[in-house]
Amino acid sequence: MGKAVNTSWLKRVLVMVSTVLVFNGVLLTASSASAAKYSPNFKDVELVEFINVVGKNLKKTMIVDPNVRGKVKVRSYDLLTEEQYYDFFLNVLEVYGFAAVDSGNNIIKIIRNKKAKSAAIPVVDDENPGHGDEMVTRIVEVKNVTVRELVPLLRQMSDQAGGGNVTNYDPANVVMLTGTAAGVERLVQVIKRVDRAGDQDVQIIKLKYASAAEMVRIIEALSKSKQGKAGTPSFLIPKIVAEERTNSVIVSGEKQARERVTKLISRLDSELETNGNTRVYYLKYSKAEDLVKVLKGVSESIEAESSTTKSSRAKGKNRNVSIDAHEDTNSLVITAQPDMLRSLESVIHQLDVRRAQVLVEAIIVEVFEGDGVSLGVQWLNETGAMTQFTNGPASISSIAAAAESAQTQKGEIVPAVYSSETGEKISDQYRKNDILGDFSAAATLLSTVSGGMFGIVKDGWGAVVQAVSTDTNSNILATPSITTLDNEEAHFLVGQEIPIITGSTTGSSNDNPFQTVDRQEVGIKLTVTPQVNEGSGVQLTIEQEVSSVSGATGVDVITNKREIKTTVMVDSGQTVILGGLIDEDVQESVQKVPLLGDIPIIGHLFKSTSNTTRKRNLMVFIRPTIIRDGALMNEISKKKYNFIRADELRKREDGLELMSNEKLPLLPKWNEQLTLPPSFDAYMEDKDSKKNNSEKKVNKTAEQEQ
């Protein structure tokens, strides 16, 4: 019962407090809604009740976050308008770490200011920047400084722990600010004062005596040394560029920085004491001998042009130029007048550049297919009649001759011998030994026979039937590759050299013959000259040859040769087909006896037929790759190196049947240092160490035995 009474008493107290808040916390005096005045006076009031009272007075629906807690103790001695009253409300929330987010339709959400920066707060601009402690987002465009350097400064001035946030977007060079309207406006004013264009201007200084490139090099070296020692601000360091065409120096930066550089240039750009000048240029990429011819031609053109001007004739200067190459240091030694020296120096800088390299990979594919069928019947009679055809492996006459020479001849009988005087028998009758047949002709004949051959001999007639079928397939794949400099010819050969007889002579009596022999390269040959064009295009002058030994004749050997000579344009990394050869040859040979060979079915006994088909398909593909830096070259070399090493690892895993696998060679890992044999000193130290260890073991064993 007491518990119920206490609950009822608590409700009455809350109603009284609410009444006090409504009537005593806010004094409303107005004759109309537009002239409403508020006098807020809150003392130890719950923050939730404070929000509800303000919502009722302003006729707005307040949605309060459950985490909103605290007591409000605040009073205003002035009468506030509705706008001032709302600002007063926002100020109180900001002090307690909360923010009001206007969701529209007179609905306001009260949340922590940390969450407000990710809520749907309004995006304002210069015309409507917001007011007071209203949470807003504002985007500010920066014109003269980079936002990446400006944002760290702004973050130190904003409430990053609360609802403030500063973010930069580099592509548009803008700053996005989030926070209270007053705080954001303060940061905007800071940005406007910092974002002021300095006295940045461009000045062109034309030189009379010195070289623009050399002048820029000297000034940049001085600027780097001063910056490292004294810590010169970046905005006081001018940007300097050499314009070699007009021999001018372009200076960009602040006024005082430009003036300092201008004074330095005017002091350095002075005429030499003598008319001549000697300079040594150390080349980085080009050959000194190659540049001498070019520079002499340029100097002669300049002399011819300057000799026609009136000023040159008036001065009467001697414009002799000396250009020499020093091969050991790959440098040029030039003696000339200052203006001539500057012109030649400009040419040297433009020619002495790193040249691109080109990796040319070729793919050669040749597929050959050949089929042949032969069938023939030949007849022979012992009286001499025969049918003989030459499109078969062997003729019947050669077969008969080989068979006859291979037969064994029986020895003849020698009769008994009697004396003519006495009539006595001197020797008995006997038979000579048989003469063995000569099988050399039969062996030569059989070596030419392929397929099946059988014969029949009966009653003085003989017949030979020959049948053969051939099927040939070959697939040749070659992938040669070569790397060369731009505009440099490269040659690649994988094959062998075979001897070719080019002539022969004999003596006056046909003795001591002499032959001259030349060696011819046979295999896969690739000759290429690449020219790198603007962008990724490569012009290739290519000579591609695939040759092989086909056979031999009575005079010399026969070689097969497929060659392509062409000039193509292809992009780097793309594959182009240079050319292809596709031919198909079908031949049919029939030899027969007239009339008899035309009889159906029976006519096959009097003729010989041979059919052959050959088909060759040859394609050549080329793929160039431009290599402009060492990183790409290292990557390509690493891939090729690891491919070979992986193949060696595979062979080592397969192993050898009769030997240890350690006998197989293996490349070291990429970039692994090669293991060198020890030096003499290291070898002697190791030998002495082993000797001392051995003596210690012997002494220790002797001590144990004792």
Side-chain angles (χ1 to χ4, degrees):
M1 184 63 116
K3 188 175 182 180
V5 173
N6 291 336
T7 304
S8 176
W9 177 81
L10 180 59
K11 290 181 179 179
R12 288 197 298 270
V13 171
L14 291 176
V15 171
M16 292 174 63
V17 171
S18 301
T19 304
V20 171
L21 288 174
V22 173
F23 294 101
N24 296 332
V26 179
L27 178 61
L28 176 62
T29 61
S31 58
S32 63
S34 61
K37 298 289 183 179
Y38 301 91
S39 179
N41 185 7
F42 299 92
K43 184 177 181 180
D44 295 332
V45 179
E46 292 291 335
L47 187 56
V48 176
E49 292 298 331
F50 167 73
I51 295 171
N52 292 333
V53 170
V54 174
K56 291 179 181 179
N57 293 334
L58 298 179
K59 297 181 181 180
K60 296 181 181 293
T61 302
M62 300 290 185
I63 301 177
V64 185
D65 188 278
N67 295 322
V68 176
R69 298 176 183 176
K71 290 185 177 182
V72 177
K73 184 177 181 181
V74 64
R75 179 178 180 180
S76 176
Y77 295 95
D78 297 328
L79 294 177
L80 306 178
T81 63
E82 184 175 341
E83 183 177 356
Q84 292 174 340
Y85 183 59
Y86 186 69
D87 289 341
F88 166 79
F89 171 67
L90 296 178
N91 293 335
V92 174
L93 292 180
E94 199 275 334
V95 170
Y96 283 88
F98 298 98
V101 179
D102 191 352
S103 301
N105 298 324
N106 287 332
I107 298 176
I108 298 178
K109 294 188 295 184
I110 309 300
I111 58 178
R112 288 190 176 274
N113 52 14
K114 292 183 179 180
K115 298 181 180 180
K117 57 186 177 183
S118 60
I121 57 179
V123 180
V124 299
D125 52 19
D126 294 341
E127 296 180 357
N128 299 310
H131 59 277
D133 289 334
E134 179 186 6
M135 294 295 294
V136 297
T137 296
R138 191 166 176 178
I139 300 175
V140 182
E141 181 182 1
V142 182
K143 299 180 180 180
N144 300 297
V145 297
T146 59
V147 293
R148 184 174 296 179
E149 297 178 355
L150 184 59
V151 163
L153 173 64
L154 299 177
R155 286 176 179 169
Q156 295 179 6
M157 304 175 64
S158 64
D159 183 16
Q160 295 289 316
N165 188 31
V166 181
T167 307
N168 59 291
Y169 183 63
D170 293 342
N173 203 47
V174 297
V175 180
M176 292 174 284
L177 306 173
T178 300
T180 62
V184 170
E185 180 63 24
R186 171 172 167 267
L187 294 179
V188 171
Q189 295 300 323
V190 173
I191 293 174
K192 289 181 179 180
R193 298 202 175 191
V194 173
D195 186 28
R196 290 184 178 179
D199 187 14
Q200 297 281 343
D201 199 358
V202 177
Q203 186 175 354
I204 300 177
I205 305 172
K206 186 173 179 58
L207 304 181
K208 296 181 180 180
Y209 306 103
S211 170
E214 188 68 15
M215 185 69 70
V216 169
R217 186 187 65 81
I218 295 173
I219 296 176
E220 287 181 347
L222 292 174
S223 299
K224 290 180 180 180
S225 62
K226 289 183 178 180
Q227 183 181 4
K229 294 180 180 179
T232 305
S234 59
F235 70 91
L236 290 179
I237 300 177
K239 296 181 180 178
I240 309 172
V241 179
E243 208 288 306
E244 299 182 3
R245 185 178 62 86
T246 59
N247 195 40
S248 302
V249 177
I250 303 175
V251 184
S252 173
E254 298 289 338
K255 181 179 180 181
Q256 55 183 353
R258 297 198 313 270
E259 291 178 351
R260 185 173 65 254
V261 173
T262 302
K263 291 180 180 179
L264 180 59
I265 291 176
S266 62
R267 295 175 61 183
L268 293 176
D269 187 27
S270 59
E271 187 176 6
L272 298 176
E273 296 180 359
T274 60
N275 291 333
N277 189 17
T278 301
R279 290 290 305 274
V280 178
Y281 298 94
Y282 295 97
L283 304 180
K284 299 179 181 179
Y285 305 104
S286 302
K287 287 185 178 181
E289 299 84 353
D290 298 337
L291 284 186
V292 167
K293 299 179 181 179
V294 178
L295 295 178
K296 286 184 177 180
V298 173
S299 62
E300 291 175 359
S301 300
I302 296 176
E303 286 185 27
E305 181 180 356
S306 61
S307 62
T308 59
T309 61
K310 296 181 180 180
S311 58
S312 178
R313 291 197 301 267
K315 293 180 181 179
K317 292 183 178 180
N318 185 9
R319 302 184 63 84
N320 293 332
V321 180
S322 174
I323 304 174
D324 296 308
H326 188 255
E327 298 182 4
D328 295 341
T329 58
N330 194 36
S331 58
L332 295 171
V333 182
I334 304 177
T335 302
Q337 294 182 12
D339 57 344
M340 177 72 74
L341 198 61
R342 288 193 301 268
S343 300
L344 296 179
E345 182 180 5
S346 175
V347 175
I348 292 173
H349 288 322
Q350 296 181 51
L351 294 179
D352 187 28
V353 295
R354 181 185 178 119
R355 297 163 62 187
Q357 300 183 89
V358 180
L359 169 64
V360 181
E361 297 172 290
I363 302 176
I364 305 169
V365 183
E366 182 178 4
V367 179
F368 177 78
E369 297 178 1
D371 296 324
V373 177
S374 297
L375 176 63
V377 179
Q378 302 179 69
W379 296 91
L380 176 68
N381 187 268
E382 62 181 357
T383 60
M386 71 176 70
T387 60
Q388 179 173 295
F389 308 109
T390 59
N391 60 353
S395 61
I396 193 170
S397 60
S398 60
I399 296 174
E404 181 66 22
S405 62
Q407 291 182 358
T408 302
Q409 301 293 332
K410 292 184 178 180
E412 61 179 347
I413 299 175
V414 179
V417 179
Y418 295 90
S419 175
S420 58
E421 297 178 357
T422 61
E424 294 180 359
K425 182 186 292 185
I426 299 175
S427 62
D428 296 332
Q429 178 181 343
Y430 68 93
R431 181 185 295 272
K432 294 184 178 179
N433 295 332
D434 295 341
I435 301 174
L436 298 178
D438 185 6
F439 292 90
S440 59
T444 303
L445 176 66
L446 293 176
S447 65
T448 62
V449 176
S450 60
M453 183 179 68
F454 63 93
I456 300 175
V457 178
K458 188 175 183 182
D459 298 334
W461 287 89
V464 175
V465 180
Q466 298 179 357
V468 60
S469 176
T470 60
D471 187 4
T472 304
N473 292 315
S474 64
N475 187 357
I476 301 174
L477 174 64
T479 57
S481 61
I482 191 169
T483 303
T484 181
L485 281 173
D486 181 23
N487 285 320
E488 291 291 340
E489 181 182 295
H491 183 72
F492 181 90
L493 170 64
V494 176
Q496 51 186 200
E497 291 185 347
I498 60 174
I500 302 294
I501 299 175
T502 59
S504 62
T505 59
T506 58
S508 58
S509 58
N510 294 330
D511 58 354
N512 192 19
F514 177 77
Q515 291 181 337
T516 58
V517 179
D518 190 13
R519 292 191 174 271
Q520 179 178 340
E521 295 177 348
V522 175
I524 299 173
K525 292 192 288 185
L526 174 63
T527 303
V528 59
T529 303
Q531 179 181 344
V532 179
N533 297 328
E534 187 70 22
S536 60
V538 182
Q539 178 178 316
L540 299 173
T541 302
I542 300 172
E543 294 184 12
Q544 175 71 60
E545 179 183 315
V546 179
S547 57
S548 60
V549 178
S550 175
T553 64
V555 179
D556 215 326
V557 297
I558 300 175
T559 59
N560 297 324
K561 183 177 180 181
R562 278 80 70 192
E563 184 178 17
I564 296 175
K565 293 183 179 180
T566 183
T567 301
V568 296
M569 177 70 72
V570 59
D571 290 336
S572 176
Q574 302 298 319
T575 302
V576 61
I577 180 171
L578 294 185
L581 173 62
I582 302 177
D583 66 337
E584 187 171 359
D585 182 15
V586 179
Q587 295 182 359
E588 183 177 10
S589 174
V590 178
Q591 295 181 357
K592 62 184 177 180
V593 178
L595 300 178
L596 296 178
D598 297 329
I599 300 175
I601 302 176
I602 300 177
H604 289 286
L605 299 176
F606 302 97
K607 67 180 178 180
S608 176
T609 305
S610 175
N611 295 334
T612 59
T613 61
R614 292 183 301 175
K615 184 177 181 180
R616 179 183 292 106
N617 191 341
L618 173 64
M619 291 289 177
V620 179
F621 302 89
I622 291 290
R623 181 177 65 184
T625 302
I626 300 176
I627 304 174
R628 299 186 184 275
D629 51 27
L632 181 58
M633 172 62 76
N634 184 72
E635 180 181 354
I636 295 175
S637 301
K638 182 179 179 181
K639 289 182 180 179
K640 298 287 186 181
Y641 187 92
N642 289 336
F643 172 78
I644 298 299
R645 190 172 187 273
D647 190 55
E648 291 184 345
L649 287 173
R650 178 187 60 80
K651 292 181 179 179
R652 175 168 285 195
E653 290 178 358
D654 295 341
L656 300 174
E657 293 185 4
L658 304 178
M659 298 178 65
S660 173
N661 296 340
E662 296 180 356
K663 297 293 184 180
L664 291 174
L666 179 63
L667 290 173
K669 293 183 179 180
W670 179 255
N671 285 337
E672 182 181 353
Q673 294 184 354
L674 297 178
T675 303
L676 299 177
S679 62
F680 177 77
D681 295 336
Y683 172 76
M684 294 303 298
E685 291 179 0
D686 183 61
K687 184 177 180 180
D688 294 340
S689 177
K690 291 181 179 179
K691 182 178 180 181
N692 295 332
N693 293 333
S694 177
E695 292 177 353
K696 290 180 180 180
K697 290 182 180 179
V698 172
N699 295 333
K700 186 176 181 180
T701 304
E703 291 177 357
Q704 291 177 355
E705 291 178 354
Q706 291 178 356

